[in-house]
């Protein structure tokens, strides 16, 4: 059975304050949620009816058990989620200062289990057969995950749709120059690249959206998607098709997770064969809906919610 989508990358437990506008030292209550960008993309696509799985690793601990249960509850296949003895399941805290300040605090030391994905343990045939395969820049930050990510991409050899989420997290790297050669290698095996302005600058050395999109195409992809924050999203295809879509008006509660909802909807639209502008409008709407909610994984919208937001022109 070929999956609609297999993602590979981070997983962890998000502990989000149940109080907004309050710094962590004063927060008194938290909610516990499934987290990790690659994992949340799989959840978002599953919410849209897609058959999804995630390749990642947890600690051999109660938080790891919680993540397995949460994945099953969301309808994401967890067969390739394995435990690493001796390492703890990562925990991420955030602060919530709407509309645009959401500091993240990653607890991933001495090492996150999801960076212990080993190339020899990958189901390469399942990866090749998936209709969409999604990897992230974080997976390139340390070994053996780096080799595993590049091996999976090379074996897939651009079969179907292969998405590289540029996912630049500076705290996981020594400097951007150290990341760029590995990003370039991943882009050679990729059909779709997705990133915000900071991320495309790390990957290409340029920040202007149209120039960055052209640089991503020159690096080997078929479709470059550049997220521009308040200016919306720019998508440029190698065939010359372009879509530039403004964001939907929304009262932001927590912007974290919006990009993962965007990614899940992007995969759904590509699988449906929609035109580029429709894909971007729906992905934008999915992200805006999650931005209006506190949590990430459990906030992923249904197809009906996305369609309603697109029709209304706003998130109500």
């Amino acid at each position: 059975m070929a999956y609609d989508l297999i993602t590979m990358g981070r997983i962890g437990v998000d502990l989000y304050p149940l109080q907004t506008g309050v710094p962590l030292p004063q927060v008194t209550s938290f909610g516990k949620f499934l987290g990790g960008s690659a994992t949340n993309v799989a959840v978002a696509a599953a919410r849209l009816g897609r058959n999804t799985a995630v390749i990642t690793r947890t600690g051999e601990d109660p938080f790891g058990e919680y993540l397995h249960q949460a994945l099953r509850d969301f309808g994401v296949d967890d067969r390739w989620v394995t435990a690493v003895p001796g390492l703890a399941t990562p925990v991420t805290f955030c602060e919530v200062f709407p509309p645009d300040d959401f500091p993240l605090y990653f607890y991933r030391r001495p090492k996150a289990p999801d960076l212990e994905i080993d190339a020899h343990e990958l189901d390469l045939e399942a990866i090749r057969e998936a209709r969409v395969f999604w990897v992230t820049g974080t997976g390139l930050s340390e070994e053996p995950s780096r080799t595993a990510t590049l091996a999976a991409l090379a074996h897939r050899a651009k079969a179907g749709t292969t998405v590289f989420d540029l996912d630049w997290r500076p705290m996981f790297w020594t400097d951007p120059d150290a990341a760029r050669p590995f990003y370039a290698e991943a882009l050679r095996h990729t059909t779709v690249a997705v990133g915000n302005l900071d991320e495309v600058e790390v990957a290409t050395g340029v920040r202007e959206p149209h120039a960055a999109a052209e640089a991503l195409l020159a690096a080997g992809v078929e479709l470059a998607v550049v997220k521009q924050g308040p200016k919306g999203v720019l998508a440029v295809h190698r065939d010359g098709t372009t879509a530039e879509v403004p964001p939907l008006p929304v009262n932001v509660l927590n912007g974290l997770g919006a990009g993962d909802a965007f990614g899940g909807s992007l995969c759904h639209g590509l699988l449906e064969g929609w035109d580029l502008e429709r894909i971007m409008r729906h992905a934008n709407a999915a992200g805006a809906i999650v931005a209006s909610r506190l949590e990430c994984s459990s906030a992923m919208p249904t197809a009906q919610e996305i369609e309603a937001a697109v029709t209304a022109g706003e998130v109500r």
Side-chain angles (χ1 to χ4, degrees):
M1 174 193 65
Y3 289 86
D4 289 328
L5 170 66
I6 295 176
T7 68
M8 179 174 171
R10 286 203 313 278
I11 195 170
V13 176
D14 288 344
L15 294 175
Y16 285 180
L18 299 181
Q19 299 141 285
T20 61
V22 178
L24 275 180
Q26 280 72 56
V27 173
T28 58
S29 57
F30 295 84
K32 180 183 68 177
F33 306 101
L34 171 73
S37 62
T39 303
N40 278 338
V41 169
V43 170
R47 188 64 59 87
L48 297 173
R50 294 299 173 181
N51 177 24
T52 72
V54 60
I55 301 168
T56 189
R57 305 197 74 180
T58 70
E60 201 170 52
D61 53 27
F63 273 153
E65 295 172 13
Y66 159 71
L67 295 175
H68 276 279
Q69 185 59 58
L71 286 168
R72 296 183 196 119
D73 290 345
F74 286 126
V76 177
D77 195 323
D78 65 342
R79 71 181 61 194
W80 296 305
V81 181
T82 58
V84 181
L87 292 180
T89 298
V91 174
T92 303
F93 288 88
C94 79
E95 294 175 298
V96 181
F97 298 107
D100 58 5
D101 187 18
F102 309 100
L104 279 169
Y105 304 91
F106 293 96
Y107 290 78
R108 291 170 59 86
R109 295 298 175 190
K111 189 176 187 180
D114 54 60
L115 293 174
E116 283 291 315
I117 300 172
D118 192 291
H120 299 96
E121 298 172 356
L122 295 175
D123 187 337
L124 292 173
E125 290 313 302
I127 288 170
R128 185 175 178 85
E129 291 172 5
R131 297 177 68 193
V132 179
F133 181 53
W134 178 288
V135 301
T136 73
T138 297
L140 300 173
S141 64
E142 290 190 41
E143 294 289 6
S145 172
R146 177 185 300 148
T147 294
T149 300
L150 294 175
L153 289 172
H155 184 83
R156 184 166 170 84
K158 294 191 176 183
T161 298
T162 304
V163 185
F164 181 24
D165 175 7
L166 302 179
D167 185 42
W168 168 248
R169 307 283 177 163
M171 67 285 294
F172 300 157
W173 293 85
T174 54
D175 64 73
D177 289 338
R180 193 163 292 139
F182 302 116
Y183 273 56
E185 178 64 17
L187 287 168
R188 288 201 314 113
H189 303 290
T190 299
T191 62
V192 181
V194 183
N196 61 30
L197 295 178
D198 290 337
E199 292 165 340
V200 298
E201 184 176 17
V202 168
T204 67
V206 295
R207 188 175 182 86
E208 195 281 322
H210 289 270
E214 291 300 326
L216 290 169
L217 294 176
V221 306
E222 300 295 319
L223 173 62
V225 180
V226 181
K227 295 183 283 189
Q228 306 175 77
K231 293 185 177 180
V233 61
L234 167 69
V236 181
H237 196 278
R238 183 176 295 279
D239 66 8
T241 306
T242 299
E244 194 156 11
V245 176
L248 258 64
V250 59
N251 290 321
V252 175
L253 177 58
N254 184 356
L256 302 173
D260 304 332
F262 181 101
S265 180
L266 168 67
C267 292
H268 177 67
L270 290 169
L271 288 165
E272 287 291 305
W274 292 344
D275 66 74
L276 196 53
E277 181 164 338
R278 183 180 180 188
I279 291 172
M280 293 302 121
R281 288 194 182 281
H282 279 70
N284 254 2
I289 290 168
V290 171
S292 73
R293 299 169 176 175
L294 174 64
E295 65 274 22
C296 293
S297 51
S298 55
M300 296 302 170
T302 64
Q304 292 75 19
E305 289 173 321
I306 295 171
E307 193 62 53
V310 170
T311 301
E314 62 179 344
V315 178
R316 292 173 177 169

